[in-house]
Amino acid sequence: MKFESEVVHAGDRKRVPGQMVPSTTPIHLGTTYFYDSAATLDRVLGDEEDGFCYSRYANPTNVALEELCTTLERGHGALATASGMAAIQIAFQAALIDRRHAVLASNSVYGATIGLLDQIFSPFEVQIAYVDICDIAAVEKAIRNQPPGCIFLESISNPLLRVGDMKKLAALAQSAGAALVVDNTFATPMLVRPLELGANIVVHSATKYLAGHGDVLGGVIVADQAHHQSIRMLSRIAGPVLGPFESYLTMRGIKTLALRYGRQCQNAFRLAEWLPAHPKVERVYYCSDPHHPDVLNIKQSFAPGLFGAILSFEIKDAIRDTVLRFMDRLKMVVPGTSLGDVHTLLLYPVMASHRDVSPKMRERMGIRENLVRVAAGIEAAEDIMADLDQALRSV
Ligand SMILES: Cc1ncc(COP(=O)(O)O)c(C=O)c1O
């Protein structure tokens, strides 16, 4: 099946001879399951027979979503979690459980991921190091300095949209005995499939493109065979699982992922073509740029013809107050701190995603005070352009 069909069908409509088949997986709210014989329950609890016994271990609605995500990401198995951050936490624990307690992370990842490493893992004696993940020589040096048990990156970095050489990173991770964990939230499996490029574990904030409508907080971990059992074991004990209602909504969202994400990529492409000529725009960052520093990595890992649905741009001569005024003048585009919704969202990194990063560090990362990030929605591109244009001209 092609991706457009998989998003509609995978996980749903399992046929059991002689039983009715609901056309969409129902929301199973029951927390506890029993059978007509206690011996069956005993076998299910002991993992000797497939079945459900308690929703923290597995839930039929969640399992349908997990099967769908396993198919889309080409994994061995998946776990639906209560948030993207819960997914990342379990992924790190699964990666490190039987390896050196050291993480080598890209220095350009979501702020809360840095918080998770520095404030939650570091006090438990996990060594944390950061590196420019697009600089392979720097990655090799960092591995020599402190051999990691886990290498972590986002498939498209935020907000400057850098793309690492995932095949090379997977090879480096393997020879260092480390797991490669990739946050694929920005790309979705429609654009990038990290497991096919050699990664071991993929995480998503399902809150974004997968659910897609700004009404679900959730996460997903998809792993290879070597890591899936540890992930389920950790979750069974710690219990950061997604609720069945959110699972249903996420699955419902994914059914239109190909339509939504395809349109969002087209809209982002059109914005990236239009913005450079705007008199108030200094610079545009987008993955279709032929001068993008990671053009070869983009070619290697992106689905042909798509460049993602997020772009960033710098407003000419703008300081913080100018950017805040620009955001206040937006009439349709939502100035909110998220991405991946059907409506276009605009985020100011200095105020939101990189608020806790020192100005000096931001400067080093290339995140200037005049930079904004746009996550294109599915509206008419002309309307997005018209709104950005009127807001830009009024500041
Ligand atoms: C790339 C990325 N990963 C993970 C997360 C965390 O996801 P959640 O808010 O669902 O916990 C976010 C949230 O913005 C994100 O942008």
Side-chain angles (χ1 to χ4, degrees):
M1 259 194 244
K2 291 206 184 303
F3 187 81
E4 291 80 353
S5 313
E6 287 172 342
V7 290
V8 174
H9 290 283
D12 259 337
R13 292 175 285 282
K14 295 221 187 57
R15 289 164 206 242
V16 182
Q19 282 186 23
M20 66 175 187
V21 185
S23 64
T24 55
T25 300
I27 306 168
H28 291 270
L29 292 174
T31 56
T32 311
Y33 296 80
F34 65 96
Y35 298 83
D36 55 5
S37 118
T40 308
L41 181 60
D42 184 42
R43 285 195 298 278
V44 171
L45 276 163
D47 255 346
E48 294 149 33
E49 188 171 319
D50 283 345
F52 297 93
C53 47
Y54 191 56
S55 259
R56 198 178 77 234
Y57 305 167
N59 167 286
T61 315
N62 287 19
V63 164
L65 170 65
E66 288 159 357
E67 285 183 16
L68 171 58
C69 293
T70 301
T71 302
L72 300 184
E73 284 287 7
R74 311 292 187 253
H76 176 77
L79 174 78
T81 57
S83 68
M85 291 317 302
I88 297 172
Q89 164 148 11
I90 292 280
F92 279 135
Q93 288 173 322
L96 298 180
I97 200 161
D98 52 3
R99 291 193 177 88
R100 277 181 296 273
H101 286 182
V103 175
L104 178 62
S106 159
N107 61 10
S108 131
V109 294
Y110 178 54
T113 305
I114 296 175
L116 179 69
L117 290 171
D118 291 350
Q119 292 166 42
I120 297 185
F121 281 95
S122 178
F124 286 90
E125 320 251 298
V126 178
Q127 306 301 313
I128 313 294
Y130 296 97
V131 68
D132 175 356
I133 210 80
C134 296
D135 180 346
I136 289 294
V139 174
E140 286 170 334
K141 190 169 166 211
I143 291 174
R144 280 195 304 275
N145 281 351
Q146 180 182 275
C150 168
I151 298 180
F152 179 86
L153 75 152
E154 293 175 4
S155 46
I156 305 178
S157 83
N158 174 32
L160 296 179
L161 313 175
R162 297 295 308 270
V163 177
D165 181 344
M166 220 166 321
K167 278 190 181 167
K168 183 83 196 174
L169 291 167
L172 288 176
Q174 197 180 19
S175 55
L180 184 67
V181 180
V182 180
D183 182 335
N184 201 28
T185 300
F186 272 35
T188 86
M190 182 161 168
L191 187 65
V192 178
R193 297 202 193 115
L195 296 174
E196 286 186 337
L197 297 166
N200 303 101
I201 302 177
V202 171
V203 292
H204 280 274
S205 168
T207 316
K208 317 296 189 222
Y209 290 106
L210 299 186
H213 295 76
D215 51 9
V216 174
L217 192 79
V220 178
I221 316 174
V222 188
D224 61 14
Q225 191 166 8
H227 295 87
H228 179 61
Q229 280 318 320
S230 316
I231 287 165
R232 288 225 78 100
M233 180 276 288
L234 288 162
S235 164
R236 192 176 163 118
I237 298 169
V241 293
L242 192 61
F245 183 57
E246 284 77 10
S247 225
Y248 169 83
L249 283 177
T250 304
M251 216 169 163
R252 185 185 167 110
I254 291 175
K255 288 184 198 301
T256 55
L257 177 64
L259 291 174
R260 284 186 287 108
Y261 195 68
R263 170 64 171 251
Q264 286 160 328
C265 289
Q266 269 174 21
N267 278 351
F269 187 90
R270 288 195 55 193
L271 291 176
E273 283 199 314
W274 166 75
L275 276 166
H278 197 285
K280 290 285 182 85
V281 171
E282 189 173 325
R283 182 169 175 188
V284 177
Y285 299 83
Y286 186 56
C287 292
S288 68
D289 181 354
H291 304 295
H292 191 292
D294 310 313
V295 81
L296 292 176
N297 301 337
I298 290 170
K299 210 168 169 183
Q300 170 192 267
S301 53
F302 282 23
L306 296 178
F307 297 97
I310 295 181
L311 70 156
S312 298
F313 66 91
E314 290 168 353
I315 304 174
K316 215 171 253 175
D317 303 325
I319 56 169
R320 186 185 160 90
D321 284 351
T322 328
V323 177
L324 297 187
R325 263 201 320 278
F326 160 70
M327 291 169 76
D328 286 342
R329 306 268 159 88
L330 291 167
K331 294 180 179 151
M332 183 191 81
V333 171
V334 179
T337 58
S338 194
L339 63 124
D341 290 335
V342 283
H343 44 269
T344 299
L345 281 153
L346 185 132
L347 172 140
Y348 184 26
V350 166
M351 186 178 83
S353 56
H354 292 71
R355 190 186 183 97
D356 297 332
V357 180
S358 69
K360 215 167 157 191
M361 182 67 178
R362 278 201 304 257
E363 190 69 28
R364 269 215 298 276
M365 292 167 84
I367 299 167
R368 299 173 61 199
E369 208 178 30
N370 60 348
L371 182 83
V372 294
R373 185 193 82 191
V374 178
I378 62 168
E379 305 97 331
E382 292 75 12
D383 289 330
I384 308 172
M385 289 181 213
D387 196 27
L388 292 175
D389 182 47
Q390 64 78 24
L392 280 169
R393 286 180 192 276
S394 71
V395 292

